[in-house]
């Protein structure tokens, strides 16, 4: 019996070792793909749904890589009358109609943004118009939330790293250049900058990535203090003095599961990501489904 068990374990390990794949998107000049992205954000029992259409266009293909231009062509939400919904969806609306030209390597892995200055200028112009609309429609929000603080948060995301994360974090281009194997792990960051640990599983044309928060208490303390110093510096000293008690109340937990269904050309057919954040007993859930049209 022991010999049979050992043999089974060895066979299972061999099968798992074979279940690995290199993700390399086929890059052809003139290739275009349009993906519909539906996100449902649930905060405190109130759900906001956002629908986007994003076009991916390939150009400048060489043996070393290519350019993939990503343009958000359409954004709609079911919560336009809700000012908080407007804030939650502002990031998507700021990008509407702004073509972002990503440089990639030969596998389609994003390496940089070719038109960064142009994108930042268009984003800054769009963000002003959007926040004008939000705060004019809600005097209560204007009294409760400093506009300068919100604008500074969005300004921080007008950088190359944030733009790259938007398509390579859990998005259409996320797996390009990776060799995925069952049980393989890697360190990464969430869009908020939190350190995460990701583990992969391969099942035919499907790849599953499970992520969990991977930060020590001290790292979380430093992260929170830094965010406070950047966004509400007048409260920084109070937070530093009470950080121990605040950590006991926050008890942050972040988990995420992404399921990629791949095509033979290395481009995903669909991506579904479910993220849950728990903090101070409050839960925020977001489900995003990206589907090839």
């Amino acid at each position: 019996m022991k010999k049979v068990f050992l043999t089974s374990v060895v066979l299972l390990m061999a099968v798992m070792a074979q279940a690995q794949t290199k993700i390399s998107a086929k890059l052809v000049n003139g290739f275009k793909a349009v993906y519909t992205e539906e996100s449902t954000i649930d905060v405190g029992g109130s759900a906001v749904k956002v629908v986007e259409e994003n076009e991916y266009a390939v150009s400048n293909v060489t043996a070393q890589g290519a350019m993939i231009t990503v343009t958000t062509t359409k954004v709609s939400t079911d919560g336009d009358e809700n000012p908080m919904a407007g804030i939650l969806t502002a990031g998507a609306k700021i990008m509407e109609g702004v073509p972002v030209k990503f440089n990639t390597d030969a596998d389609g892995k994003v390496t940089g943004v070719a038109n960064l200055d142009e994108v930042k200028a268009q984003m800054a112009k769009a963000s002003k118009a959007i926040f004008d609309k939000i705060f004019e429609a809600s005097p209560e929000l204007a009294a409760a939330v400093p506009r300068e603080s919100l604008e500074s948060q969005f300004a921080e995301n007008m950088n190359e790293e944030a733009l790259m994360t938007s398509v390579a974090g859990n998005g259409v281009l996320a797996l390009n250049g990776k060799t995925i194997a069952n049980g393989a792990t890697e360190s990464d960051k969430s869009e908020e900058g939190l350190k995460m640990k990701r583990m992969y599983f391969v099942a035919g044309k499907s790849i599953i990535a499970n992520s969990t928060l991977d930060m020590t208490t001290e790292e979380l303390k430093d992260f929170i203090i830094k965010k406070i110093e950047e966004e509400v510096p007048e409260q920084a000293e109070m937070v530093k003095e009470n950080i121990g008690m605040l950590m006991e109340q926050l008890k942050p937990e972040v988990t995420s599961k992404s399921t990629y269904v791949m095509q033979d050309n290395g481009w995903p057919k669909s991506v579904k990501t479910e993220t849950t954040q728990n903090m101070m007993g409050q839960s925020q859930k977001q489900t995003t489904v990206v589907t090839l049209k």
Side-chain angles (χ1 to χ4, degrees):
M1 180 62 72
K2 289 183 179 179
K3 186 178 292 186
V4 172
F5 175 75
L6 180 59
T7 301
S8 298
V9 170
V10 172
L11 287 172
L12 178 60
M13 290 175 65
V15 169
M16 290 184 67
Q18 291 175 355
Q20 64 178 19
T21 182
K22 171 73 178 289
I23 306 300
S24 181
K26 188 174 182 180
L27 302 174
V28 179
N29 280 320
F31 173 86
K32 288 185 179 181
V34 177
Y35 289 87
T36 300
E37 181 175 315
E38 296 188 10
S39 298
T40 302
I41 307 168
D42 189 335
V43 183
S46 178
V48 177
K49 184 177 181 180
V50 185
V51 181
E52 302 177 39
E53 279 194 8
N54 298 299
E55 179 189 85
Y56 292 71
V58 179
S59 63
N60 299 3
V61 178
T62 68
Q64 288 72 44
M67 179 180 290
I68 299 178
T69 301
V70 182
T71 308
T72 301
T73 58
K74 188 186 300 182
V75 179
S76 62
T77 177
D78 60 2
D80 281 330
E81 71 289 346
N82 183 337
M84 288 308 297
I87 292 174
L88 288 172
T89 60
K93 290 186 175 180
I94 286 170
M95 295 305 301
E96 188 172 11
V98 180
V100 185
K101 299 178 180 181
F102 293 100
N103 292 321
T104 78
D105 65 11
D107 293 317
K109 178 182 177 181
V110 175
T111 59
V113 180
N115 62 334
L116 182 60
D117 290 341
E118 178 186 342
V119 170
K120 289 171 69 173
Q122 291 188 56
M123 288 174 66
K125 183 178 179 180
S127 65
K128 182 181 184 306
I130 289 169
F131 280 115
D132 283 345
K133 181 179 178 181
I134 292 172
F135 281 90
E136 285 172 7
S138 178
E140 298 86 0
L141 181 66
V145 181
R147 173 169 175 161
E148 295 78 10
S149 176
L150 284 173
E151 288 184 331
S152 67
Q153 290 181 48
F154 278 88
E156 287 176 15
N157 289 323
M158 294 180 192
N159 58 62
E160 188 170 43
E161 182 180 1
L163 289 167
M164 291 169 65
T165 299
S166 70
V167 293
N170 294 312
V172 170
L173 308 179
L175 301 181
N176 290 353
K178 296 181 185 290
T179 298
I180 309 295
N182 274 321
T185 61
E186 66 179 10
S187 297
D188 201 3
K189 285 187 178 181
S190 70
E191 291 189 11
E192 295 81 10
L194 295 166
K195 287 172 58 180
M196 306 288 288
K197 183 176 182 179
R198 181 177 296 148
M199 178 176 286
Y200 290 100
F201 299 93
V202 182
K205 292 186 179 298
S206 295
I207 297 172
I208 300 169
N210 292 326
S211 301
T212 55
L213 185 64
D214 187 30
M215 297 177 74
T216 65
T217 300
E218 290 304 313
E219 287 175 330
L220 281 168
K221 286 180 181 179
D222 292 341
F223 177 84
I224 292 168
I225 290 171
K226 182 180 178 182
K227 284 293 182 182
I228 295 294
E229 288 176 337
E230 292 172 349
E231 296 170 14
V232 278
E234 66 275 9
Q235 297 183 23
E237 285 304 316
M238 181 188 70
V239 170
K240 288 178 183 179
E241 292 173 3
N242 297 280
I243 190 65
M245 182 175 63
L246 285 171
M247 290 303 299
E248 292 179 6
Q249 296 174 344
L250 287 172
K251 298 179 180 177
E253 295 178 5
V254 183
T255 59
S256 179
K257 177 181 179 181
S258 295
T259 302
Y260 303 81
V261 179
M262 304 301 296
Q263 302 178 97
D264 291 339
N265 64 358
W267 288 78
K269 181 178 180 181
S270 65
V271 184
K272 180 179 181 180
T273 300
E274 299 168 288
T275 303
T276 301
Q277 297 186 48
N278 292 307
M279 200 169 294
M280 295 185 70
Q282 298 295 316
S283 177
Q284 176 178 320
K285 297 181 180 179
Q286 178 169 339
T287 302
T288 301
V289 180
V290 179
T291 308
L292 179 66
K293 287 191 70 175

